[in-house]
Amino acid sequence: EAGVTQFPSHSVIEKGQTVTLRCDPISGHDNLYWYRRVMGKEIKFLLHFVKESKQDESGMPNNRFLAERTGGTYSTLKVQPAELEDSGVYFCASSPAGLPTGKLFFGSGTQLSVL
Amino acid sequence: QQQVKQSPQSLIVQKGGISIINCAYENTAFDYFPWYQQFPGKGPALLIAIRPDVSEKKEGRFTISFNKSAKQFSLHIMDSQPGDSATYFCAARDAGKSTFGDGTTLTVKP
């Protein structure tokens, strides 16, 4: 069974540019999460999709960040325009529907560097 | 205010020793406490987890100790091996959202 896939694995962009990260969750997983880890700090929650609907987007830093999950399959996270403080590792995670255990399956992450 | 505080930031242990990582939380609504293990270049992977109605859970060399009254929980790795060298994150879940600690980088020296 394929795991959670994220790409690109690395992205280096200049301040003011746009970057789009993609996440393919495990097939059949209704729950999809985006997290971010900045400079060795905690893995911080960004938002949660249930199928194509945003269940909780309380962690999104500001309106420069836009997440979508068309058709309830893969998800994209766009940062426009990127700022220096957006640098970090962006993780996507998924979990099956109706599984209240909190077990998350993580992708390998996208290392974003904004110069 | 960080809801889950993890310590130490880094830990060096000799092979065969015991590794102990501690976490403390504030939110009493947390109802699930997992530990994740992350190797370089990989995403975090669930290692072991506990619910607040249990004081201890053991899986192989890994044990979680949970103190509900103190709002603390810890991971113990017995007979630590070089292959255990990784970053460990504690987490706590509330209403479907998981909150993580800062992570502990464990190095096990041969």
Side-chain angles (χ1 to χ4, degrees):
Chain A
E1 177 183 273
V4 177
T5 304
Q6 291 186 248
F7 52 92
S9 58
H10 294 81
S11 181
V12 180
I13 62 173
E14 292 188 352
K15 175 182 172 180
Q17 290 186 322
T18 298
V19 63
T20 300
L21 314 181
R22 173 167 169 150
C23 169
D24 286 74
I26 293 173
S27 178
H29 281 196
D30 287 349
N31 295 296
L32 187 149
Y33 304 82
W34 284 98
Y35 283 86
R36 177 174 72 175
R37 189 179 192 213
V38 175
M39 288 293 291
K41 301 296 289 181
E42 78 266 31
I43 300 174
K44 205 161 187 179
F45 170 83
L46 296 178
L47 88 160
H48 171 205
F49 283 100
V50 177
K51 295 185 179 179
E52 67 275 8
S53 300
K54 291 177 184 175
Q55 182 76 16
D56 181 351
E57 53 183 329
S58 61
M60 295 288 264
N62 50 60
N63 59 10
R64 295 185 294 102
F65 289 75
L66 176 64
E68 295 180 324
R69 191 181 183 193
T70 306
T73 54
Y74 72 91
S75 175
T76 58
L77 180 64
K78 182 192 292 188
V79 185
Q80 179 182 31
E83 298 290 344
L84 299 179
E85 63 264 26
D86 300 333
S87 296
V89 181
Y90 288 77
F91 289 107
C92 175
S94 70
S95 67
L99 191 71
T101 63
K103 177 179 179 179
L104 301 175
F105 297 82
F106 280 86
S108 295
T110 295
Q111 173 76 59
L112 176 64
S113 298
V114 182
L115 306 179
Chain B
Q1 181 184 3
Q2 193 166 6
Q3 292 196 48
V4 177
K5 295 183 179 179
Q6 182 172 348
S7 63
Q9 185 177 27
S10 62
L11 180 61
I12 299 174
V13 173
Q14 292 293 324
K15 178 182 176 181
I18 302 174
S19 303
I20 302 175
I21 305 171
N22 301 297
C23 283
Y25 64 95
E26 292 295 326
N27 184 356
T28 55
F30 288 141
D31 62 359
Y32 180 75
F33 299 87
W35 285 88
Y36 286 82
Q37 179 188 56
Q38 183 187 19
F39 293 106
K42 302 292 186 182
L46 182 69
L47 183 63
I48 185 173
I50 197 168
R51 296 193 181 280
D53 54 348
V54 176
S55 62
E56 184 176 282
K57 183 173 182 180
K58 183 177 180 179
E59 290 185 0
R61 297 184 293 107
F62 301 90
T63 299
I64 299 178
S65 297
F66 188 84
N67 186 329
K68 188 174 182 178
S69 61
K71 292 187 285 186
Q72 295 176 346
F73 59 112
S74 59
L75 175 68
H76 296 237
I77 306 174
M78 311 299 289
D79 186 26
S80 299
Q81 299 297 313
D84 297 330
S85 297
T87 300
Y88 292 81
F89 293 93
C90 63
R93 187 198 65 152
D94 170 28
K97 182 166 71 178
S98 293
T99 301
F100 289 80
D102 284 353
T104 296
T105 302
L106 171 66
T107 302
V108 181
K109 291 191 172 296

mmCIF file of all heavy atoms in Angstrom, chain A residues 21-53:
data_model
loop_
_atom_site.group_PDB
_atom_site.id
_atom_site.type_symbol
_atom_site.label_atom_id
_atom_site.label_comp_id
_atom_site.label_asym_id
_atom_site.label_seq_id
_atom_site.Cartn_x
_atom_site.Cartn_y
_atom_site.Cartn_z
ATOM 1 N N LEU A 21 2.480 23.349 -2.978
ATOM 2 C CA LEU A 21 2.864 22.036 -2.479
ATOM 3 C C LEU A 21 1.708 21.075 -2.714
ATOM 4 O O LEU A 21 0.540 21.452 -2.598
ATOM 5 C CB LEU A 21 3.184 22.111 -0.980
ATOM 6 C CG LEU A 21 4.076 23.267 -0.530
ATOM 7 C CD1 LEU A 21 4.315 23.193 0.972
ATOM 8 C CD2 LEU A 21 5.358 23.303 -1.300
ATOM 9 N N ARG A 22 2.060 19.822 -2.985
ATOM 10 C CA ARG A 22 1.013 18.839 -3.240
ATOM 11 C C ARG A 22 1.140 17.666 -2.294
ATOM 12 O O ARG A 22 2.251 17.259 -1.930
ATOM 13 C CB ARG A 22 1.078 18.349 -4.690
ATOM 14 C CG ARG A 22 0.114 17.187 -4.962
ATOM 15 C CD ARG A 22 -0.082 16.897 -6.411
ATOM 16 N NE ARG A 22 -0.802 15.638 -6.585
ATOM 17 C CZ ARG A 22 -1.609 15.386 -7.608
ATOM 18 N NH1 ARG A 22 -1.809 16.300 -8.563
ATOM 19 N NH2 ARG A 22 -2.219 14.219 -7.707
ATOM 20 N N CYS A 23 -0.006 17.121 -1.938
ATOM 21 C CA CYS A 23 -0.060 15.948 -1.061
ATOM 22 C C CYS A 23 -1.051 14.940 -1.617
ATOM 23 O O CYS A 23 -2.213 15.275 -1.889
ATOM 24 C CB CYS A 23 -0.478 16.349 0.351
ATOM 25 S SG CYS A 23 -0.885 14.937 1.421
ATOM 26 N N ASP A 24 -0.608 13.704 -1.763
ATOM 27 C CA ASP A 24 -1.500 12.605 -2.114
ATOM 28 C C ASP A 24 -1.638 11.710 -0.887
ATOM 29 O O ASP A 24 -0.664 11.030 -0.509
ATOM 30 C CB ASP A 24 -0.950 11.818 -3.305
ATOM 31 C CG ASP A 24 -1.099 12.575 -4.603
ATOM 32 O OD1 ASP A 24 -0.342 13.533 -4.821
ATOM 33 O OD2 ASP A 24 -1.997 12.208 -5.394
ATOM 34 N N PRO A 25 -2.796 11.680 -0.277
ATOM 35 C CA PRO A 25 -2.956 10.868 0.943
ATOM 36 C C PRO A 25 -3.046 9.382 0.591
ATOM 37 O O PRO A 25 -3.115 9.014 -0.590
ATOM 38 C CB PRO A 25 -4.284 11.368 1.503
ATOM 39 C CG PRO A 25 -5.062 11.774 0.285
ATOM 40 C CD PRO A 25 -4.034 12.330 -0.672
ATOM 41 N N ILE A 26 -3.064 8.565 1.599
ATOM 42 C CA ILE A 26 -3.298 7.140 1.398
ATOM 43 C C ILE A 26 -4.700 6.969 0.828
ATOM 44 O O ILE A 26 -5.656 7.605 1.309
ATOM 45 C CB ILE A 26 -3.134 6.372 2.714
ATOM 46 C CG1 ILE A 26 -1.664 6.425 3.154
ATOM 47 C CG2 ILE A 26 -3.605 4.931 2.580
ATOM 48 C CD1 ILE A 26 -1.401 5.846 4.530
ATOM 49 N N SER A 27 -4.824 6.136 -0.181
ATOM 50 C CA SER A 27 -6.107 5.940 -0.844
ATOM 51 C C SER A 27 -7.192 5.547 0.158
ATOM 52 O O SER A 27 -6.997 4.644 0.989
ATOM 53 C CB SER A 27 -5.969 4.861 -1.913
ATOM 54 O OG SER A 27 -7.203 4.616 -2.549
ATOM 55 N N GLY A 28 -8.310 6.249 0.092
ATOM 56 C CA GLY A 28 -9.424 5.938 0.978
ATOM 57 C C GLY A 28 -9.431 6.705 2.282
ATOM 58 O O GLY A 28 -10.399 6.636 3.039
ATOM 59 N N HIS A 29 -8.358 7.432 2.559
ATOM 60 C CA HIS A 29 -8.319 8.224 3.792
ATOM 61 C C HIS A 29 -9.088 9.530 3.590
ATOM 62 O O HIS A 29 -8.719 10.369 2.790
ATOM 63 C CB HIS A 29 -6.873 8.534 4.182
ATOM 64 C CG HIS A 29 -6.191 7.395 4.854
ATOM 65 N ND1 HIS A 29 -5.003 7.550 5.575
ATOM 66 C CD2 HIS A 29 -6.509 6.083 4.947
ATOM 67 C CE1 HIS A 29 -4.633 6.383 6.058
ATOM 68 N NE2 HIS A 29 -5.530 5.473 5.691
ATOM 69 N N ASP A 30 -10.153 9.696 4.353
ATOM 70 C CA ASP A 30 -10.970 10.902 4.233
ATOM 71 C C ASP A 30 -10.339 12.109 4.909
ATOM 72 O O ASP A 30 -10.563 13.239 4.515
ATOM 73 C CB ASP A 30 -12.357 10.663 4.849
ATOM 74 C CG ASP A 30 -13.225 9.763 3.969
ATOM 75 O OD1 ASP A 30 -12.845 9.501 2.818
ATOM 76 O OD2 ASP A 30 -14.300 9.338 4.448
ATOM 77 N N ASN A 31 -9.597 11.853 5.976
ATOM 78 C CA ASN A 31 -8.988 12.949 6.725
ATOM 79 C C ASN A 31 -7.622 13.292 6.154
ATOM 80 O O ASN A 31 -6.787 12.409 5.953
ATOM 81 C CB ASN A 31 -8.823 12.581 8.207
ATOM 82 C CG ASN A 31 -10.147 12.387 8.899
ATOM 83 O OD1 ASN A 31 -10.935 13.320 9.024
ATOM 84 N ND2 ASN A 31 -10.417 11.167 9.349
ATOM 85 N N LEU A 32 -7.407 14.568 5.914
ATOM 86 C CA LEU A 32 -6.119 15.039 5.422
ATOM 87 C C LEU A 32 -5.735 16.287 6.217
ATOM 88 O O LEU A 32 -6.549 17.190 6.407
ATOM 89 C CB LEU A 32 -6.185 15.359 3.923
ATOM 90 C CG LEU A 32 -4.866 15.706 3.215
ATOM 91 C CD1 LEU A 32 -4.912 15.252 1.764
ATOM 92 C CD2 LEU A 32 -4.525 17.171 3.324
ATOM 93 N N TYR A 33 -4.501 16.290 6.684
ATOM 94 C CA TYR A 33 -4.000 17.379 7.523
ATOM 95 C C TYR A 33 -2.752 17.979 6.902
ATOM 96 O O TYR A 33 -1.947 17.280 6.296
ATOM 97 C CB TYR A 33 -3.621 16.856 8.915
ATOM 98 C CG TYR A 33 -4.714 16.132 9.666
ATOM 99 C CD1 TYR A 33 -4.977 14.790 9.419
ATOM 100 C CD2 TYR A 33 -5.456 16.779 10.642
ATOM 101 C CE1 TYR A 33 -5.961 14.112 10.116
ATOM 102 C CE2 TYR A 33 -6.443 16.109 11.357
ATOM 103 C CZ TYR A 33 -6.689 14.776 11.077
ATOM 104 O OH TYR A 33 -7.671 14.118 11.779
ATOM 105 N N TRP A 34 -2.596 19.270 7.113
ATOM 106 C CA TRP A 34 -1.336 19.944 6.816
ATOM 107 C C TRP A 34 -0.733 20.447 8.131
ATOM 108 O O TRP A 34 -1.432 21.027 8.970
ATOM 109 C CB TRP A 34 -1.536 21.127 5.869
ATOM 110 C CG TRP A 34 -1.746 20.753 4.446
ATOM 111 C CD1 TRP A 34 -2.931 20.643 3.782
ATOM 112 C CD2 TRP A 34 -0.731 20.451 3.477
ATOM 113 N NE1 TRP A 34 -2.725 20.283 2.464
ATOM 114 C CE2 TRP A 34 -1.390 20.174 2.252
ATOM 115 C CE3 TRP A 34 0.670 20.393 3.514
ATOM 116 C CZ2 TRP A 34 -0.691 19.831 1.086
ATOM 117 C CZ3 TRP A 34 1.348 20.061 2.358
ATOM 118 C CH2 TRP A 34 0.684 19.787 1.158
ATOM 119 N N TYR A 35 0.568 20.184 8.283
ATOM 120 C CA TYR A 35 1.331 20.656 9.439
ATOM 121 C C TYR A 35 2.601 21.333 8.933
ATOM 122 O O TYR A 35 3.023 21.129 7.802
ATOM 123 C CB TYR A 35 1.739 19.478 10.347
ATOM 124 C CG TYR A 35 0.634 18.923 11.216
ATOM 125 C CD1 TYR A 35 -0.228 17.947 10.736
ATOM 126 C CD2 TYR A 35 0.472 19.364 12.529
ATOM 127 C CE1 TYR A 35 -1.231 17.429 11.547
ATOM 128 C CE2 TYR A 35 -0.529 18.841 13.348
ATOM 129 C CZ TYR A 35 -1.370 17.881 12.843
ATOM 130 O OH TYR A 35 -2.363 17.360 13.642
ATOM 131 N N ARG A 36 3.219 22.110 9.798
ATOM 132 C CA ARG A 36 4.471 22.771 9.445
ATOM 133 C C ARG A 36 5.416 22.742 10.635
ATOM 134 O O ARG A 36 4.997 22.951 11.779
ATOM 135 C CB ARG A 36 4.211 24.225 9.031
ATOM 136 C CG ARG A 36 5.459 25.019 8.717
ATOM 137 C CD ARG A 36 5.132 26.400 8.170
ATOM 138 N NE ARG A 36 4.608 27.290 9.202
ATOM 139 C CZ ARG A 36 4.348 28.583 8.968
ATOM 140 N NH1 ARG A 36 4.544 29.107 7.767
ATOM 141 N NH2 ARG A 36 3.884 29.341 9.942
ATOM 142 N N ARG A 37 6.694 22.491 10.335
ATOM 143 C CA ARG A 37 7.713 22.574 11.384
ATOM 144 C C ARG A 37 8.725 23.634 10.960
ATOM 145 O O ARG A 37 9.330 23.539 9.894
ATOM 146 C CB ARG A 37 8.424 21.241 11.608
ATOM 147 C CG ARG A 37 9.319 21.279 12.853
ATOM 148 C CD ARG A 37 10.017 19.990 13.122
ATOM 149 N NE ARG A 37 10.617 20.011 14.463
ATOM 150 C CZ ARG A 37 11.742 19.392 14.786
ATOM 151 N NH1 ARG A 37 12.391 18.677 13.872
ATOM 152 N NH2 ARG A 37 12.215 19.458 16.020
ATOM 153 N N VAL A 38 8.893 24.642 11.813
ATOM 154 C CA VAL A 38 9.778 25.750 11.524
ATOM 155 C C VAL A 38 10.968 25.713 12.464
ATOM 156 O O VAL A 38 10.785 25.616 13.677
ATOM 157 C CB VAL A 38 9.031 27.099 11.683
ATOM 158 C CG1 VAL A 38 9.983 28.265 11.500
ATOM 159 C CG2 VAL A 38 7.879 27.185 10.696
ATOM 160 N N MET A 39 12.165 25.733 11.898
ATOM 161 C CA MET A 39 13.412 25.914 12.658
ATOM 162 C C MET A 39 13.511 25.042 13.914
ATOM 163 O O MET A 39 13.848 25.520 14.985
ATOM 164 C CB MET A 39 13.557 27.385 13.073
ATOM 165 C CG MET A 39 13.887 28.298 11.921
ATOM 166 S SD MET A 39 15.517 27.976 11.244
ATOM 167 C CE MET A 39 16.555 28.552 12.582
ATOM 168 N N GLY A 40 13.202 23.753 13.783
ATOM 169 C CA GLY A 40 13.378 22.849 14.897
ATOM 170 C C GLY A 40 12.367 23.012 16.019
ATOM 171 O O GLY A 40 12.564 22.458 17.111
ATOM 172 N N LYS A 41 11.312 23.747 15.768
ATOM 173 C CA LYS A 41 10.269 23.902 16.776
ATOM 174 C C LYS A 41 9.212 22.803 16.628
ATOM 175 O O LYS A 41 9.444 21.796 15.974
ATOM 176 C CB LYS A 41 9.621 25.300 16.641
ATOM 177 C CG LYS A 41 10.601 26.423 16.803
ATOM 178 C CD LYS A 41 11.197 26.447 18.192
ATOM 179 C CE LYS A 41 10.183 26.900 19.228
ATOM 180 N NZ LYS A 41 10.795 26.935 20.612
ATOM 181 N N GLU A 42 8.079 22.997 17.247
ATOM 182 C CA GLU A 42 7.059 21.948 17.218
ATOM 183 C C GLU A 42 6.461 21.801 15.818
ATOM 184 O O GLU A 42 6.511 22.698 14.990
ATOM 185 C CB GLU A 42 5.946 22.248 18.229
ATOM 186 C CG GLU A 42 4.933 23.297 17.785
ATOM 187 C CD GLU A 42 5.276 24.688 18.250
ATOM 188 O OE1 GLU A 42 6.495 24.994 18.385
ATOM 189 O OE2 GLU A 42 4.340 25.461 18.483
ATOM 190 N N ILE A 43 5.884 20.655 15.574
ATOM 191 C CA ILE A 43 5.118 20.423 14.353
ATOM 192 C C ILE A 43 3.759 21.066 14.594
ATOM 193 O O ILE A 43 2.979 20.604 15.427
ATOM 194 C CB ILE A 43 4.980 18.916 14.072
ATOM 195 C CG1 ILE A 43 6.361 18.267 13.898
ATOM 196 C CG2 ILE A 43 4.132 18.691 12.820
ATOM 197 C CD1 ILE A 43 6.318 16.752 13.770
ATOM 198 N N LYS A 44 3.494 22.124 13.845
ATOM 199 C CA LYS A 44 2.330 22.945 14.131
ATOM 200 C C LYS A 44 1.203 22.690 13.141
ATOM 201 O O LYS A 44 1.411 22.657 11.932
ATOM 202 C CB LYS A 44 2.708 24.427 14.117
ATOM 203 C CG LYS A 44 1.821 25.314 14.926
ATOM 204 C CD LYS A 44 2.519 26.637 15.225
ATOM 205 C CE LYS A 44 1.688 27.450 16.190
ATOM 206 N NZ LYS A 44 2.329 28.727 16.521
ATOM 207 N N PHE A 45 0.002 22.523 13.648
ATOM 208 C CA PHE A 45 -1.188 22.262 12.857
ATOM 209 C C PHE A 45 -1.522 23.468 11.985
ATOM 210 O O PHE A 45 -1.484 24.614 12.444
ATOM 211 C CB PHE A 45 -2.347 21.971 13.806
ATOM 212 C CG PHE A 45 -3.696 21.903 13.157
ATOM 213 C CD1 PHE A 45 -4.124 20.731 12.552
ATOM 214 C CD2 PHE A 45 -4.551 22.995 13.146
ATOM 215 C CE1 PHE A 45 -5.380 20.656 11.959
ATOM 216 C CE2 PHE A 45 -5.799 22.935 12.565
ATOM 217 C CZ PHE A 45 -6.212 21.759 11.973
ATOM 218 N N LEU A 46 -1.850 23.198 10.725
ATOM 219 C CA LEU A 46 -2.317 24.243 9.827
ATOM 220 C C LEU A 46 -3.816 24.090 9.556
ATOM 221 O O LEU A 46 -4.584 25.002 9.812
ATOM 222 C CB LEU A 46 -1.532 24.230 8.516
ATOM 223 C CG LEU A 46 -0.035 24.544 8.619
ATOM 224 C CD1 LEU A 46 0.622 24.445 7.251
ATOM 225 C CD2 LEU A 46 0.189 25.910 9.226
ATOM 226 N N LEU A 47 -4.184 22.933 8.974
ATOM 227 C CA LEU A 47 -5.609 22.730 8.747
ATOM 228 C C LEU A 47 -5.929 21.264 8.529
ATOM 229 O O LEU A 47 -5.045 20.430 8.354
ATOM 230 C CB LEU A 47 -6.106 23.556 7.554
ATOM 231 C CG LEU A 47 -6.037 22.973 6.144
ATOM 232 C CD1 LEU A 47 -7.003 23.723 5.254
ATOM 233 C CD2 LEU A 47 -4.654 22.998 5.597
ATOM 234 N N HIS A 48 -7.230 20.975 8.545
ATOM 235 C CA HIS A 48 -7.759 19.630 8.466
ATOM 236 C C HIS A 48 -8.905 19.588 7.466
ATOM 237 O O HIS A 48 -9.854 20.366 7.570
ATOM 238 C CB HIS A 48 -8.234 19.207 9.870
ATOM 239 C CG HIS A 48 -9.000 17.931 9.919
ATOM 240 N ND1 HIS A 48 -9.900 17.653 10.937
ATOM 241 C CD2 HIS A 48 -9.002 16.820 9.121
ATOM 242 C CE1 HIS A 48 -10.416 16.451 10.748
ATOM 243 N NE2 HIS A 48 -9.889 15.940 9.656
ATOM 244 N N PHE A 49 -8.790 18.674 6.499
ATOM 245 C CA PHE A 49 -9.873 18.404 5.557
ATOM 246 C C PHE A 49 -10.559 17.090 5.949
ATOM 247 O O PHE A 49 -9.902 16.121 6.324
ATOM 248 C CB PHE A 49 -9.340 18.202 4.133
ATOM 249 C CG PHE A 49 -8.951 19.448 3.407
ATOM 250 C CD1 PHE A 49 -7.615 19.833 3.320
ATOM 251 C CD2 PHE A 49 -9.905 20.225 2.768
ATOM 252 C CE1 PHE A 49 -7.246 20.973 2.620
ATOM 253 C CE2 PHE A 49 -9.540 21.361 2.067
ATOM 254 C CZ PHE A 49 -8.204 21.741 1.999
ATOM 255 N N VAL A 50 -11.873 17.070 5.815
ATOM 256 C CA VAL A 50 -12.601 15.812 5.785
ATOM 257 C C VAL A 50 -13.201 15.728 4.385
ATOM 258 O O VAL A 50 -14.051 16.540 4.014
ATOM 259 C CB VAL A 50 -13.709 15.747 6.843
ATOM 260 C CG1 VAL A 50 -14.482 14.433 6.705
ATOM 261 C CG2 VAL A 50 -13.123 15.890 8.235
ATOM 262 N N LYS A 51 -12.710 14.774 3.647
ATOM 263 C CA LYS A 51 -13.001 14.711 2.204
ATOM 264 C C LYS A 51 -12.627 16.066 1.593
ATOM 265 O O LYS A 51 -11.515 16.531 1.772
ATOM 266 C CB LYS A 51 -14.455 14.319 1.984
ATOM 267 C CG LYS A 51 -14.767 12.903 2.474
ATOM 268 C CD LYS A 51 -16.184 12.473 2.133
ATOM 269 C CE LYS A 51 -16.421 11.048 2.636
ATOM 270 N NZ LYS A 51 -17.816 10.593 2.341
ATOM 271 N N GLU A 52 -13.549 16.718 0.910
ATOM 272 C CA GLU A 52 -13.176 17.982 0.260
ATOM 273 C C GLU A 52 -13.462 19.211 1.118
ATOM 274 O O GLU A 52 -13.153 20.332 0.732
ATOM 275 C CB GLU A 52 -13.889 18.113 -1.084
ATOM 276 C CG GLU A 52 -15.397 18.273 -1.003
ATOM 277 C CD GLU A 52 -16.124 16.932 -0.897
ATOM 278 O OE1 GLU A 52 -15.458 15.889 -0.736
ATOM 279 O OE2 GLU A 52 -17.370 16.950 -0.957
ATOM 280 N N SER A 53 -14.033 18.997 2.304
ATOM 281 C CA SER A 53 -14.432 20.123 3.151
ATOM 282 C C SER A 53 -13.371 20.460 4.195
ATOM 283 O O SER A 53 -12.789 19.571 4.808
ATOM 284 C CB SER A 53 -15.741 19.790 3.876
ATOM 285 O OG SER A 53 -16.768 19.547 2.939
#
